[in-house]
Amino acid sequence: MARGFKFSFHVSLVTAAIIYVYLSTVFVFIDQWVGLGSSPGMMNAAAFTFLAVMCIYSYRLAIFTDPGRVPSSFVPDIEDSERQIHEIKRKGGDLRFCQKCSHYKPPRAHHCRVCNRCVLRMDHHCMWMNNCVGHANHKIFFVFIVYAVLACIYSLVLLIGSLTVDTEDDTEDSFRTVYVISGLLLVPLSLALGFFVGWHIYLMLKNKTTIEYHEGVRAMWLAEKGGHLYSHPYDIGAYENLISVSYLFFQLFCLHYVFPRIP
């Protein structure tokens, strides 16, 4: 399901950074290192262009894909014997009910104060996308950060390689500002995005969201304090977790791109 979009400074900043990194990589780093008109130059330019296009495409999808709305008709079926987990409030023991949206919340759903609605299997609200990361767009969000970290590392390698070339003209001095800005941009981005990819792979292996991880830290502390062992209720083992997440991603792919949408 597509969603509307309003102007966001952070999204504009990310878009400008992608464009800047692409232009500086293709027309400065590759050209200075191997020459843009040479065969290695054209191959590197084509490869980096592919990464940039996929990065922008997945970023656009992550922004405009609705993360998942709770159906207005949802009511928890407490008599369903096949459902082993019914999430309840931490205090009071009642079923989870959102006072702001005035309806029950399914397991793993949370209310986003920024979007002002409940999101299915909410991971977090990403200000860099001006959207939540939830059930319906988590896959494309993960694909985006993978493409982004690959593009940043690739660009950083090309930047370092172009610095090893000795030039007799003054082109290196004229591009000094480009190199400085690119270095200050690419190094922290590569580290941050690399950590982010590793973090989400860890969450997939544990079948957790970011919210559930932080809630689990407190739950583990309280369990240990009471002499009990805490286990995440959705963790069924690293392999099974990965298979279930991969199957979920496949289902979302089919719903978005293979089967026609039913109104």
Side-chain angles (χ1 to χ4, degrees):
M1 178 187 297
R3 62 182 283 269
F5 178 75
K6 296 181 180 179
F7 173 81
S8 169
F9 170 76
H10 295 92
V11 173
S12 302
L13 193 63
V14 172
T15 305
I18 294 174
I19 295 174
Y20 176 82
V21 170
Y22 174 77
L23 294 177
S24 60
T25 300
V26 174
F27 297 102
V28 179
F29 307 153
I30 295 178
D31 191 38
Q32 290 294 307
W33 191 8
V34 293
L36 194 56
S38 64
S39 296
M42 289 188 291
M43 290 179 61
N44 279 282
F48 192 78
T49 299
F50 170 78
L51 283 178
V53 170
M54 295 305 298
C55 189
I56 293 176
Y57 177 70
S58 57
Y59 183 56
R60 180 183 180 279
L61 281 182
I63 291 174
F64 287 98
T65 300
D66 193 289
R69 296 176 179 269
V70 178
S72 58
S73 59
F74 171 78
V75 177
D77 186 3
I78 59 176
E79 297 182 356
D80 187 0
S81 59
E82 295 182 357
R83 186 181 299 274
Q84 299 179 353
I85 300 174
H86 290 284
E87 290 189 352
I88 60 175
K89 292 182 180 180
R90 285 188 292 268
K91 296 180 180 180
D94 298 327
L95 292 173
R96 300 171 71 237
F97 184 85
C98 181
Q99 299 293 339
K100 298 181 178 64
C101 297
S102 300
H103 61 61
Y104 286 100
K105 292 187 291 187
R108 316 186 81 175
H110 295 274
H111 185 87
C112 177
R113 290 176 294 179
V114 180
C115 299
N116 195 29
R117 65 184 178 88
C118 290
V119 177
L120 294 175
R121 199 178 180 273
M122 179 178 174
D123 187 89
H124 68 285
H125 180 87
C126 181
M127 65 178 183
W128 300 106
M129 298 192 323
N130 195 27
N131 193 12
C132 282
V133 177
H135 171 76
N137 67 343
H138 184 264
K139 171 236 178 184
I140 197 63
F141 167 76
F142 179 75
V143 170
F144 163 66
I145 59 176
V146 169
Y147 277 124
V149 72
L150 290 176
C152 287
I153 295 175
Y154 193 3
S155 179
L156 192 59
V157 170
L158 293 172
L159 184 154
I160 296 173
S162 63
L163 290 175
T164 61
V165 178
D166 294 328
T167 55
E168 297 179 355
D169 51 17
D170 296 331
T171 55
E172 185 176 350
D173 293 334
S174 62
F175 291 129
R176 189 183 302 275
T177 303
V178 175
Y179 279 99
V180 172
I181 295 176
S182 298
L184 293 176
L185 184 64
L186 290 171
V187 172
L189 269 180
S190 299
L191 294 175
L193 291 174
F195 169 79
F196 214 48
V197 168
W199 169 250
H200 277 274
I201 291 176
Y202 167 78
L203 291 178
M204 289 179 189
L205 294 176
K206 295 293 184 180
N207 199 2
K208 293 182 180 180
T209 64
T210 301
I211 294 176
E212 290 170 349
Y213 170 81
H214 291 293
E215 289 181 344
V217 171
R218 174 175 172 78
M220 184 181 298
W221 177 77
L222 291 175
E224 291 178 351
K225 187 177 180 180
H228 304 288
L229 293 177
Y230 171 79
S231 61
H232 182 55
Y234 301 102
D235 187 1
I236 54 178
Y239 177 76
E240 294 295 333
N241 289 336
L242 191 60
I243 293 298
S244 63
V245 170
S246 301
Y247 179 69
L248 171 63
F249 284 177
F250 175 74
Q251 284 184 315
L252 294 176
F253 175 82
C254 291
L255 289 174
H256 277 280
Y257 307 111
V258 179
F259 300 110
R261 297 180 181 178
I262 302 176

